[in-house]
């Protein structure tokens, strides 16, 4: 079950990389980010952390 979960998060991480924008490449200042941008950053962080564990 744990292996399936890790595989799922790795797949989601690849999809995120292809579909979602990279704000670090755009030099986004987090203090000026909109709620939408912060939600995307949070989502990417959550998926990345779970894919690495």
């Amino acid at each position: 079950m744990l292996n399936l979960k890790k595989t799922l998060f790795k797949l989601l991480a690849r999809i995120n990389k292809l579909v979602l924008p990279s704000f670090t490449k755009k030099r986004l200042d987090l203090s000026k980010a909109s709620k939408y941008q912060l939600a995307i950053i949070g989502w990417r962080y959550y998926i990345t952390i779970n894919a690495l564990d």
Side-chain angles (χ1 to χ4, degrees):
M1 184 69 183
L2 183 63
N3 192 20
L4 179 62
K5 180 181 174 184
K6 189 168 185 81
T7 304
L8 176 67
F9 277 110
K10 284 186 177 192
L11 176 65
L12 282 172
R14 287 187 190 140
I15 292 171
N16 282 349
K17 189 172 183 175
L18 293 173
V19 176
L20 296 177
S22 174
F23 295 120
T24 55
K25 290 180 183 175
K26 294 180 181 180
R27 300 275 205 199
L28 176 69
D29 183 10
L30 287 179
S31 64
K32 296 178 183 176
S34 69
K35 297 289 184 185
Y36 170 73
Q37 291 168 327
L38 289 173
I40 290 175
I41 292 167
W43 172 253
R44 291 186 72 154
Y45 175 78
Y46 174 75
I47 296 298
T48 302
I49 292 300
N50 283 301
L52 294 176
D53 285 340

